[in-house]
Amino acid sequence: MAAAPDDELVETLIGVFMEIDGLFSTTSRGLGLTPQQAQLLCFAQHLQPSFGELATLLHCDKTNITGLVDRLQRRGLLTRQPDPNDRRMTRVHLTPQGEAVTGQFQQAINTTLTTRFSSWPSTQRDSLVHLLQSAATALRP
Amino acid sequence: MAAAPDDELVETLIGVFMEIDGLFSTTSRGLGLTPQQAQLLCFAQHLQPSFGELATLLHCDKTNITGLVDRLQRRGLLTRQPDPNDRRMTRVHLTPQGEAVTGQFQQAINTTLTTRFSSWPSTQRDSLVHLLQSAATALRP
DNA sequence: TAAAATAGTCGACGCTATGGACTATCCATA
DNA sequence: TATGGATAGTCCATAGCGTCGACTATTTTA
């Protein structure tokens, strides 16, 4: 492959991406959720996002959100709440059951991820956190 | 959130993951491919993977690969080749046209990713590469 | 007040993903 | 060497994802 330095950065970034992708898929499936559903629930946990906000957060069309929310609402994990300030908007609120399963998902991700890094010395972990924070802002255009 | 140090690592990892996820989606869509199709083409570029290998690489069931390959074959981007050593297996080979579009995809990812990091000094880039390589192996169970 | 922009919904269409049943092939080992 | 078990791919049915275009209701702006 004879990777140039830049290609090496790209390559490792994608390697980490694919590992986390797999972790997200298997973890959400284990809880009876699709990855998209799990991601939506995580976004709805602290904000009460509107449908349009969910569409931009999930990088998809707004018409997709309708069905996504329908299925999660049918299972009692969230509710539609009208926005008091703008009657065009609908906001998504998690039910207690939705909070529970979202917490389960996050905890599962958290424990597998932290156990994977448990052998790392804290100095190495700190420098990775620091570099990843810069990388995340660099990646946002 | 008052994140503990470990939660901070998880949080930044997921932040980077989601940015790359969005980049993959928009880039593949721009070339008329789904993200799964683009990923399959990338895997088929240097190896000639069997269907089962593709299934594990893409973290999905083998029954899914049949249709995925069907659609890419119908568009002339790859061919099915019987394995000479094991007549149960079918291997996937890219056509020249498939090589071309795969190269376009990779180059698009590559350039946007490297321009995002263009302002980074090379020492910082090197240490990120080094840490990410360790992280990728740590993430593989 | 009329025109333009925004928020969500619906229907049609194709792609993704799984599970179960099926065929063909390979590989033990009796 | 036969036969039983494992493996590789396919097909079907079903559910979910994702987009586009058209539509209604509600703001916003001119």
Side-chain angles (χ1 to χ4, degrees):
Chain A
M1 278 230 93
D6 282 347
D7 291 345
E8 212 170 355
L9 175 53
V10 171
E11 206 175 308
T12 51
L13 271 173
I14 291 178
V16 168
F17 162 76
M18 292 201 304
E19 292 302 326
I20 297 183
D21 194 35
L23 178 60
F24 266 55
S25 300
T26 58
T27 308
S28 45
R29 279 199 78 73
L31 288 167
L33 299 169
T34 65
Q36 296 84 356
Q37 290 174 338
Q39 231 169 321
L40 191 154
L41 291 173
C42 288
F43 282 130
Q45 190 176 33
H46 295 298
L47 4 172
Q48 272 86 47
S50 71
F51 281 52
E53 289 165 347
L54 284 172
T56 61
L57 286 169
L58 295 172
H59 303 291
C60 70
D61 196 273
K62 71 186 159 96
T63 64
N64 194 21
I65 305 293
T66 303
L68 215 43
V69 168
D70 277 348
R71 287 181 284 272
L72 290 168
Q73 189 172 12
R74 200 177 306 144
R75 290 164 59 171
L77 301 182
L78 51 78
T79 60
R80 283 169 156 91
Q81 302 284 348
D83 186 295
N85 300 110
D86 189 335
R87 288 188 306 180
R88 293 172 296 182
M89 286 209 239
T90 310
R91 297 200 168 271
V92 165
H93 291 227
L94 291 191
T95 62
Q97 194 186 346
E99 297 271 7
V101 61
T102 309
Q104 276 180 286
F105 173 76
Q106 288 173 331
Q107 192 178 349
I109 295 285
N110 218 299
T111 57
T112 55
L113 238 39
T114 54
T115 55
R116 292 273 201 287
F117 286 96
S118 58
S119 64
W120 281 38
S122 62
T123 61
Q124 199 178 5
R125 220 177 307 187
D126 288 348
S127 50
L128 178 56
V129 168
H130 188 254
L131 284 168
L132 281 180
Q133 281 171 343
S134 310
T137 60
L139 287 171
R140 263 184 276 284
Chain B
M1 277 231 91
D6 281 346
D7 291 345
E8 213 170 354
L9 175 53
V10 172
E11 206 175 308
T12 51
L13 270 173
I14 292 178
V16 169
F17 162 75
M18 292 201 304
E19 292 302 326
I20 298 183
D21 194 36
L23 177 61
F24 266 54
S25 300
T26 58
T27 308
S28 44
R29 278 199 79 73
L31 287 168
L33 298 170
T34 66
Q36 296 84 354
Q37 290 173 337
Q39 231 170 323
L40 192 153
L41 291 174
C42 288
F43 282 129
Q45 191 177 35
H46 296 298
L47 4 171
Q48 273 86 46
S50 71
F51 282 54
E53 289 165 348
L54 284 171
T56 61
L57 287 168
L58 296 171
H59 303 291
C60 71
D61 196 273
K62 71 187 161 97
T63 63
N64 194 21
I65 304 292
T66 302
L68 215 41
V69 168
D70 277 347
R71 287 181 283 274
L72 290 169
Q73 189 172 12
R74 202 176 305 143
R75 288 163 62 171
L77 301 182
L78 51 80
T79 61
R80 283 168 158 93
Q81 301 284 348
D83 186 296
N85 299 111
D86 189 335
R87 288 189 305 181
R88 293 172 298 181
M89 287 208 236
T90 310
R91 299 200 165 272
V92 165
H93 290 226
L94 292 191
T95 64
Q97 194 186 345
E99 297 271 5
V101 60
T102 308
Q104 277 181 284
F105 174 76
Q106 288 174 331
Q107 191 177 350
I109 296 284
N110 218 300
T111 57
T112 54
L113 237 39
T114 52
T115 56
R116 293 273 200 288
F117 286 98
S118 59
S119 65
W120 282 38
S122 63
T123 63
Q124 199 178 5
R125 219 177 306 186
D126 288 347
S127 49
L128 177 58
V129 167
H130 188 254
L131 284 168
L132 282 180
Q133 281 171 343
S134 310
T137 61
L139 286 172
R140 264 185 276 284

